[in-house]
Amino acid sequence: MNRTPLLAINHLSVAFHQGSSARRVVEDVSLTLDAGETLALVGESDSGKSVTALSVLRLLPAPPVAYPGGEILFNGQNLLTADEAVLRRIRGNDIAMIFQEPMSSLNPLHTLEKQLSEVLMLHRGMRGKTARAEAQAALERVGIHHPASRLRDYPHQLSGGERQRVMIAMALLTRPKLLIADEPTTALDVTVQAQILQLLADLRRELNMALLFITHDLNIVRRLADRVAVMQNGRCVETNRCDTLFSAPAHPYTQRLLAAKPSGQPAAVAQDTAPLLRVNALGVSYGGKGALFTRRQASKTALHNLSFSLRRGESLGLVGESGSGKSTTALALLRLIASEGEIWFDDLPVHRFNRRQMLPLRRRIQVVFQDPYSALNPRLSMAEIVAEGLLVHQQLSAQAVEQRVIAALEEVGLDADSRHRYPGEFSGGQRQRIAIARALILQPELVILDEPTSSLDRTVQAQILSLLQTLQQKHRLAYVFISHDLQVVRAMCHQVVVLWQGQVVEQGSADALFHTPRAAYTRELMAAGRQAVTEG
């Protein structure tokens, strides 16, 4: 007797209408998913993974989105023809979703407690102390430190990885039958990633929950999935059991995905090269000042006593768990937050500069932020976003600006013909490349890269890393490279600083840290990274 799958996607096609024309982004995709099973949906950016997943809950706007063919059956009911009342009943209760960009999914005006409690009230009828206790337990389960106090925090007070964990906690509060996870571990370091994957596996067994897991990280796929579906250009090119797909991939595209990974080492830098950036005893603290009629809050040290020197053409890697102080370091170096200690850039005392004095240096020091969705203005076209820095810092003709924009887009692997489209029309990986192009177009001397490849699939990641290495050698760029991916750090960085809760655990040459780490925490990070690579 054949068992009816919990989810069955049959010959699904999805089209985006623009005027009188229609562009199909998903074509004739068929997938099934049983209760308690994990299906991984993999492929490059713009392959149709997220569009397919969003179609399950009909979250894409109609118009411009239409479904020329196919059906999506959940427990035998066609969701493509279901009315809004049915969809509202299913969304959140039976099918929950973890979105790719947590900052755009969390309400910036509400505390974590309010947002988690709202889910519990709507879907499980819980209020007051009961809801608070359940919310606190959910945060603790996904690895948020000091969950009781963090319930009072707002999304902007969390690191990227912490926001992602809050989204996972929120989705699991309703104990759904099907969880759709769209790149849920993109911003997580290897140790927390392992915890989250174990959590999802445990909940899947406990609740007999089906999991549709969308990712570009094949290491995760091998550790978590029962079956794998590979998508390319909107089509499903291969579906197979996980062990079979990894041991004997049938499609050439699958073979290419499995072969792509960060490799190589950064080019050597002459020892007599003068430092471009010198940092002495850098520290950052938050809190300590109470508003009118409020109690004074205890000061929290986000970064303590960080010192390093960086030469032209050299890369420094900052690694550590989410909330360890990596992004805080980047903001302090950019003088976007107050800090203690000294920052010398090209022998200029940046730590003494005010906002006006920093303006001439903004062109020379550029940044690529972790979350491209929140870093790109949704009201500007791709061309306007990339050209924005040129218009501020250089006086060029409109023709010269357009030529520079086209060259920058092509350099990061984007189609220049699409430069008049808006950020919302691009995939997460494409938005990240737009952010990189925006930084590189000004030909800076120092680039701070905050998880620049975290949302990219492995083939595009390899291309971007190769591009960054080429540009570094050509222009003698200095990089401060923040990443939780140790393979990427090994391929890109000459020096590494390991941070934990704002403290420097260990620092030194990349060779020394990767081959003979001294600190126990560093060894734990390296072991987790090696396990992911071995299993992947």
Side-chain angles (χ1 to χ4, degrees), residues 85-160:
V86 171
L87 291 173
R88 281 196 298 269
R89 188 173 67 249
I90 291 175
R91 290 169 181 157
N93 288 313
D94 294 330
I95 305 177
M97 186 161 185
I98 304 168
F99 293 96
Q100 186 173 358
E101 283 104 3
M103 194 60 184
S104 61
S105 301
L106 296 171
N107 191 324
L109 302 178
H110 293 164
T111 64
L112 303 186
E113 180 178 358
K114 182 174 179 60
Q115 297 187 60
L116 292 167
S117 297
E118 186 177 25
V119 174
L120 291 167
M121 181 184 68
L122 290 174
H123 297 285
R124 294 174 61 183
M126 299 173 65
R127 288 177 170 82
K129 293 182 179 179
T130 306
R132 179 181 173 82
E134 185 75 9
Q136 180 178 328
L139 292 184
E140 185 173 13
R141 196 167 193 182
V142 297
I144 297 289
H145 298 296
H146 313 298
S149 62
R150 301 309 294 274
L151 283 172
R152 298 191 294 269
D153 286 352
Y154 291 85
H156 73 272
Q157 295 175 283
L158 309 178
S159 69

Side-chain angles (χ1 to χ4, degrees), residues 306-324:
L306 172 62
S307 300
F308 64 86
S309 177
L310 186 64
R311 298 170 293 180
R312 296 180 188 274
E314 190 176 25
S315 298
L316 172 79
L318 292 177
V319 302
E321 295 182 14
S322 300
S324 63

Side-chain angles (χ1 to χ4, degrees), residues 459-472:
T459 53
V460 178
Q461 181 188 77
Q463 295 167 11
I464 293 297
L465 293 177
S466 177
L467 169 66
L468 292 172
Q469 289 172 331
T470 300
L471 290 169
Q472 183 176 51

